[in-house]
Amino acid sequence: YPGASETCNGIDENCNGTVDEGVLLTFYQDADNDTYGSATTTQACTVPAGYVATTSDCNDTVASIHPGASETCNTVDDNCDGSVDEGVLLTFYRDADGDTYGNAGITTQACTVPNGYVTNSTDCNDGLASMHPGAAEIHPAEIGRLQRHRGHAGDRIQPGVEQLPVAVEIGHQL
């Protein structure tokens, strides 16, 4: 009858020529079936197949990407919070001298080790490959001998023996 209240039932209760006006619910398409909807909507009395009651899916083509998903290190916003790889990036340390020991003062964050970086930060001199944790110590007498003979024509570099750094050769503490 005219003036009757509409209910969501597919019938025009108020006889105005429109069915279920003002009582239809909005539902959001869920193409990847992860229970989070996209911006595509429909209106109905009950949830149609392929739709859900909430919208917030930032990628409705991949079921593992949705609000509340665990973030993984993959350059994708897995949890739809607007940030990529937050909380899962690893810290790597620059290894300028290639000795596999990194400089704690020069870092980068990434999912995998970038070229020129390592996973540890224990290098005490990243400009000299022979100086790192576990490197052979040089006896003070050897430093003195090298100072006395530095530059003599008879000095020969032994194959397989790394030269001492200039700072050590001239007697400076490193």
Side-chain angles (χ1 to χ4, degrees):
Y1 65 90
S5 296
E6 284 286 340
T7 59
C8 206
N9 59 10
I11 299 171
D12 181 13
E13 280 98 358
N14 61 9
C15 302
N16 69 354
T18 305
V19 175
D20 297 335
E21 73 275 5
V23 294
L24 291 172
L25 302 172
T26 301
F27 297 99
Y28 305 90
Q29 184 178 30
D30 182 17
D32 60 9
N33 295 314
D34 63 0
T35 72
Y36 296 89
S38 67
T40 303
T41 64
T42 191
Q43 290 196 315
C45 293
T46 59
V47 181
Y51 285 79
V52 293
T54 61
T55 183
S56 57
D57 202 338
C58 60
N59 185 333
D60 202 32
T61 61
V62 180
S64 63
I65 299 174
H66 57 78
S70 294
E71 193 69 38
T72 59
C73 214
N74 58 5
T75 68
V76 172
D77 180 11
D78 298 294
N79 58 10
C80 299
D81 68 353
S83 298
V84 175
D85 295 339
E86 72 279 2
V88 295
L89 290 174
L90 303 172
T91 299
F92 298 100
Y93 306 91
R94 181 75 175 127
D95 180 20
D97 59 16
D99 63 0
T100 71
Y101 296 88
N103 180 341
I106 303 174
T107 64
T108 190
Q109 289 194 313
C111 295
T112 59
V113 181
N115 287 335
Y117 285 80
V118 293
T119 58
N120 73 64
S121 63
T122 58
D123 205 337
C124 56
N125 184 334
D126 201 31
L128 188 61
S130 63
M131 290 187 70
H132 56 77
E137 292 292 325
I138 300 171
H139 192 276
E142 180 66 8
I143 293 172
R145 185 189 70 74
L146 289 170
Q147 288 173 329
R148 287 189 303 279
H149 292 89
R150 183 179 181 144
H152 291 149
D155 287 347
R156 297 188 191 258
I157 298 173
Q158 297 175 14
V161 176
E162 188 173 338
Q163 285 186 301
L164 292 174
V166 173
V168 171
E169 289 184 281
I170 59 174
H172 292 289
Q173 289 266 351
L174 295 177

